[in-house]
């Protein structure tokens, strides 16, 4: 069975196992105050040298979203998110469980636009305290649909947020694929646009872990209190430090992304060339072909993947490449896709 | 200035002032455990004699919604509501502040249909624990658009909720207008369909207060704990008791509604006959004409009302009658509407 | 049966009923934005002319505590309260339900001392983010034991809070009794010491309602959002306005307190002179005699009161006077107390 | 510098690194639904064969407490804990952040007694809904003071909880040390007494992770929803599976504990024999000597440890052994302790 279900099914890069082994005999200070975390912060900071940021490590993605939102919002403040946003549907109400409303707006190719932010803000302010106070915009980059925010989109969104007094936070679960997708910005630009953002390790070659970057000075104080309250500090915090060091010191973080995008784009082109419709033109490691029932059934025998959506008689599936996906697996997948394309 | 802004701007019916005065010299047990509350419960219960229900009184509408939802849902359970629902936009995130997500679905004339419930339920169950667990359906009756659920609509919604294991709760903020709108059901039918519902006093002729009716036996235990935690028990709870007695003992609750519907329907017919568009055909005491900017400006000089929505160049306003609105006021309003209609 | 159970069993002062009646025919703006509320704020402000404060009205005491705490604390911040504090035991966890820990410290005659605050603060800071961050001190004045903070106690507590960066809030449920207990401070002093405080109406002669005073400028923005989210804005907000006007415009607020303290102190002296022990020397309208079982049973036949605590074979009861308690009732109570004193 | 600061400073047992490496090349189902977790559950279940339990794995200890409490309590229900309990002071208000009050009672050698439970329950029920409803008892075993519940203590506590309708949950952060401390019960007994409990991996030789055992059938449904909402499911859940397999398949879980208790008891005896006072007679891997300032300063030069408490001029420190502590380290520590004992 070929695995194109997700980018966390397989394990981590070998360097990380090596580093965990090397550090396992050393006594570390607990809860993220160790040297490995310090070094990991240094190397991450070296990727955004123009910025004065605080850096933390948490176990996983929902936790990153919880701590960013919990640290920033007052009880009556809310976060605006596109309907495709991970916090909207796939975190079991974790944000609402912290007491905050998620205001949902329509996505445009998985993204949120300044116009949508403006409209939502206005419609809430008209009724003043009858509505929650919009205070934050949440975006995913790359989006849940594999699309990527362009420089000018982020600049415009940032400008709109500044104008309206909103925080902008970015869920960077698959941030590495963004940075290697051909955009004309780097990690160094993000702190200027975002008050906080996360950098995913789990899907970038680590075993687990996300970095949380806080750039807005007013959100920095007491951040470790928020982490601790959210169960986001593990005793052996050095585990996160060594993973992020290993990802960034030799740029595995970037190289893994380049590899998986290359393979995903091969698949996407192949699909296009062979008459498949696509839900959307993805720019990263996610591909969304539209299948007939027959194609779906044929493919499901040989390939493991997720169903994204059902539409009438068609099924939209999601194919995902990861750092460990091989060219051979992609070639084999294309063979199956070819045969499936001839089924109808 | 004519007042058609809302149904709580004016005061209460005289009988209530009289009863408060009569009870003011008596020492009552505190926090709703007094004789007046007991009697009020009896007379309300007499309107639904076939049902074994618990009855409580709270101060206002958001509080009623908070206690109904807080008492029933586990941390990961959510309530489905139409996008027009009061809990969705007009309670400053009070429901989310209790930790629960409100799942928004499209309204149909202000209502939610079994189909929408089914679709939403399914789309959430497909991803199981990634999504919140839908466990409750919230409806307003009458709706925020002045429409009323028909018997068969409630039966169908109830059946769907039973099928899917969902609670059905009804926000009865303007329940009195429902019952006098010509429906073929009475208060006595509601406990069969709804696990909990509220009966509004504030907009029915009282100074303040809502009754909360709990019919589902599994939701009855410890309800006063929920009330107390929600600051929903005032020391002089007898104030609520006397108000609901006064509303129900001589059927002022019903008579007030009949009066305000009669007047609102006069306005609605007049609008229709004079070439105005309506946002919707209301069945209660809310009327939603669509005005040009010129009409709006003219009318706003003489009449106090709310703007409901702006659409391109048109303004949809809301006109509301109350128990204290007079025929003279309606006639005068119609005169203004007539003139306004000639402006374009 | 004589009623000495509480100070809210009986009704309100007649002026309030009169004013409600007078206002009942007027159309008011909703949710506390009416003229009556404005005038009430003016007259309350006239009692603290040296201060720039915001004033709001809520329905009852737990609500006042909820809004003061919810508006000020971040998710990981906590409020320090004496073990006798109302928020500690008698609000069904309403504060914790907003997500905040209440840190309990021993009371000294119902009060909290700067020393206890210092010790608690230090013990929490030693472990930094493992503990919640103490950010607020909650006191009741008068206390639940009927004692009153002296000027120098409040000054010292204020100074300590300033030193440690803590907000000081005061639950003024029975504030009127404080101000008439012989203290050398007035309402005008409180905003200098407290960041927020409440002024109780319910136990001061109103039907219901508490004023919430916000003096710290950083806590002022968006306060109505907190009110609305907490279901603390009733549609007919003018009801609260007229009550506080009636309490303050002719100083009924103060006169009622003087009356009930005078009577309570008569009772306390009588108890003392007749050989009863007292739990504490109360300075307000609460009296706490210690009774034997026989005395208790005798008294309970003729007088309605609360049991405060059981200690071995003794019962501590609470006797409360209110604005409507008469000299005759006190004399009659003393007759019973006299007889009871001879029982042992 | 000798390390006796805690039992998580050093790494995990080698078998775990080996197993992670072995599994790193395999594609696993995500979020704890993989084969490794299944096998880990089987082997843990084999240690409690008489019980029908559900088993889950979470990242760390606060998370385990959050999910156990969040899954069981209604909004107005509270958990009783001894003042030494981890949830009381060392989780940054994480439990209150889920909306629930922690009711604090005095500890007896770190434990809670049925008497304290009874007293607290009664004192809360007397005021009924004014207080939170006690619904759960939280204990740590071993306690934060290194003491262990005896069989008869657990039976009595269980019986009391059953009598009063309370859940009993056990924080088993250092459960392995309990089971090897000489008690006459095993894991197989715990589900009969506890509705839920955790088994710590972090301090038992794993890198991270706790098992959560649910034995009460009414708490079993939808548990994964609670996990997901609490950010307690990592993508590579197999990491937790392999760790618990490695701990239990060859009984490393037990052997590590035997080793660390043996060493800790050596230290404790040595302290006793050399004239040191002890805060308490620990039965596990925690030792609490009382030092003079001079002793403290001397020792702090050579040994890394935590300060537990300051009392007047004395300092109580905490010495902790772990699976990786060696006999040589203990011998060296004793040399230092010997010298320190001669300082006064």
């Amino acid at each position: 069975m070929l695995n194109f279900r997700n980018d966390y099914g397989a394990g981590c890069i070998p360097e990380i196992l090596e580093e965990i082994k090397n550090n396992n005999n050393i006594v570390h200070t607990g809860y993220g105050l160790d040297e490995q975390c310090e070094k990991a912060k240094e190397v991450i900071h070296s990727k955004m040298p123009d910025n004065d940021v605080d850096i933390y490590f948490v176990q996983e993605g929902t936790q990153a979203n919880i701590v960013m939102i919990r640290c920033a919002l007052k009880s009556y403040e809310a976060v605006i998110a596109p309907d495709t946003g991970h916090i909207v549907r796939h975190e079991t109400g974790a944000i609402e469980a912290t007491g905050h409303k998620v205001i949902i707006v329509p996505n445009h190719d998985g993204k949120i636009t300044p116009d949508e932010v403006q409209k939502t803000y206005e419609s809430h302010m008209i009724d003043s305290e009858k509505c929650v106070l919009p205070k934050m915009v949440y975006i995913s980059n790359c989006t849940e649909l594999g699309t990527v925010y362009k420089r000018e989109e982020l600049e415009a969104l940032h400008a709109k947020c500044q104008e309206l007094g909103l925080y902008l936070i970015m869920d960077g679960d698959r941030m590495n694929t963004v940075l290697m997708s051909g955009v004309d910005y780097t990690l160094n630009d993000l702190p200027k646009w975002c008050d906080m953002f996360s950098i995913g390790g789990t899907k970038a070659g680590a075993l687990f872990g996300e970095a949380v970057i806080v750039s807005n000075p007013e959100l920095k104080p007491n951040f470790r209190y928020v982490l601790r309250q959210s169960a986001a500090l593990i005793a052996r915090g050095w585990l996160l430090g060594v993973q992020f060091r290993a990802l960034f010191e030799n740029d595995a973080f970037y190289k893994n992304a380049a590899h998986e995008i290359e393979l995903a784009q091969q698949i996407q082109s192949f699909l296009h060339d062979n008459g498949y419709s696509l839900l959307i033109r993805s720019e990263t490691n996610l591909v969304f072909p539209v299948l007939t029932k027959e194609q779906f059934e044929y493919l499901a025998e040989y390939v493991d993947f997720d169903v994204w959506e059902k539409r009438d008689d068609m099924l939209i599936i999601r194919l995902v490449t990861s750092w460990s996906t091989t060219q051979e697996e992609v070639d084999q997948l294309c063979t199956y896709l070819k045969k499936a394309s001839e089924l109808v």
Side-chain angles (χ1 to χ4, degrees), chain A:
Chain A
M1 199 79 162
L2 286 176
N3 173 44
F4 286 89
R5 179 175 289 277
N6 56 48
D7 32 14
Y8 52 78
C12 68
I13 58 173
E15 295 88 330
I16 282 179
L17 292 188
E18 199 57 36
E19 279 299 310
I20 292 178
K21 199 172 161 192
N22 294 341
N23 275 275
N24 195 51
N25 297 317
I26 301 169
V27 171
H28 292 283
T29 305
Y31 297 107
L33 299 173
D34 60 278
E35 281 182 30
Q36 292 299 316
C37 283
E38 275 321 295
K39 286 182 182 166
K41 291 176 186 183
E42 277 166 33
V43 64
I44 292 176
H45 189 251
S46 75
K47 304 294 185 187
M48 34 185 134
D50 300 345
N51 301 281
D52 181 16
V53 296
D54 285 353
I55 303 175
Y56 301 96
F57 302 109
V58 304
Q59 291 107 273
E60 56 89 69
T62 293
Q63 221 166 46
N65 291 331
I66 288 173
V67 299
M68 289 194 289
I69 292 171
R70 179 177 260 177
C71 95
L73 297 190
K74 295 189 177 124
S75 77
Y76 53 87
E77 294 175 341
V79 52
I80 301 172
D83 52 5
T84 42
H86 203 259
I87 59 170
V88 172
R89 270 188 61 90
H90 289 106
E91 302 190 350
T92 326
I95 303 311
E96 288 87 354
T98 69
H100 300 291
K101 189 182 192 75
V102 181
I103 304 171
I104 307 172
V105 299
N107 79 86
H108 300 266
D109 292 347
K111 303 178 200 175
I112 198 169
T113 62
D115 262 16
E116 294 287 356
V117 172
Q118 177 72 38
K119 269 200 298 190
T120 297
Y121 183 80
E122 274 174 20
S123 78
H124 279 73
M125 296 314 281
I126 256 177
D127 283 330
S128 64
E129 76 264 1
K130 289 194 184 178
C131 297
V132 286
L133 183 66
K135 184 65 188 172
M136 181 185 272
V137 171
Y138 163 96
I139 59 174
S140 310
N141 197 18
C142 72
T143 70
E144 285 74 8
L145 299 179
T147 53
V148 168
Y149 281 85
K150 304 294 168 262
R151 168 181 273 272
E152 48 280 11
E153 289 174 325
L154 289 173
E155 284 172 345
L157 208 46
H158 169 66
K160 177 56 68 186
C161 287
Q162 288 296 106
E163 177 196 336
L164 302 178
L166 306 177
Y167 299 120
L168 177 60
I169 69 167
M170 186 187 286
D171 181 338
D173 200 23
R174 289 189 179 95
M175 174 72 77
N176 59 339
T177 64
V178 171
L179 300 170
M180 299 309 285
S181 71
V183 294
D184 56 346
Y185 58 84
T186 70
L187 273 185
N188 194 32
D189 294 296
L190 297 186
K192 293 167 214 150
W193 299 326
C194 302
D195 298 279
M196 291 180 282
F197 61 99
S198 61
I199 302 176
T202 302
K203 294 167 183 169
L207 284 173
F208 65 99
E210 315 276 306
V212 175
I213 317 297
V214 186
S215 49
N216 184 331
E218 68 184 69
L219 300 175
K220 290 178 179 177
N222 298 322
F223 203 83
R224 281 178 61 84
Y225 280 85
V226 179
L227 292 175
R228 179 100 185 172
Q229 182 176 67
S230 307
L233 290 174
I234 52 172
R236 286 186 186 81
W238 62 264
L239 282 168
L240 292 159
V242 299
Q243 292 185 83
F244 275 91
R245 275 189 75 184
L247 285 181
F248 277 94
E249 281 187 346
N250 295 304
D251 287 340
F253 181 78
Y254 297 97
K255 292 173 192 163
N256 290 342
H259 173 75
E260 66 197 42
I261 294 175
E262 158 65 19
L263 296 184
Q265 294 302 316
Q266 282 182 26
I267 298 168
Q268 190 163 260
S269 298
F270 187 88
L271 284 161
H272 182 260
D273 295 347
N274 284 271
Y276 285 93
S277 298
L278 293 164
L279 169 66
I280 195 161
R281 187 92 200 161
S282 163
E283 298 156 276
T284 56
N285 69 323
L286 313 171
V287 182
F288 298 90
V290 185
L291 305 186
T292 63
K293 196 154 172 290
E294 289 73 22
Q295 290 172 334
F296 171 83
E297 279 168 4
Y298 172 78
L299 213 59
E301 274 183 66
Y302 305 101
V303 186
D304 193 28
F305 53 77
D306 251 0
V307 174
W308 189 254
E309 203 187 317
K310 293 180 190 176
R311 283 200 194 162
D312 306 319
D313 291 345
M314 308 300 279
L315 291 115
I316 301 163
I317 67 164
R318 189 184 72 164
L319 300 169
V320 189
T321 57
S322 83
W323 73 268
S324 62
T325 306
T326 63
Q327 183 66 53
E328 289 67 37
E329 290 172 315
V330 170
D331 293 345
Q332 187 61 47
L333 172 65
C334 289
T335 313
Y336 294 132
L337 288 171
K338 180 75 185 165
K339 286 197 189 141
S341 73
E342 294 156 359
L343 281 177
V344 187

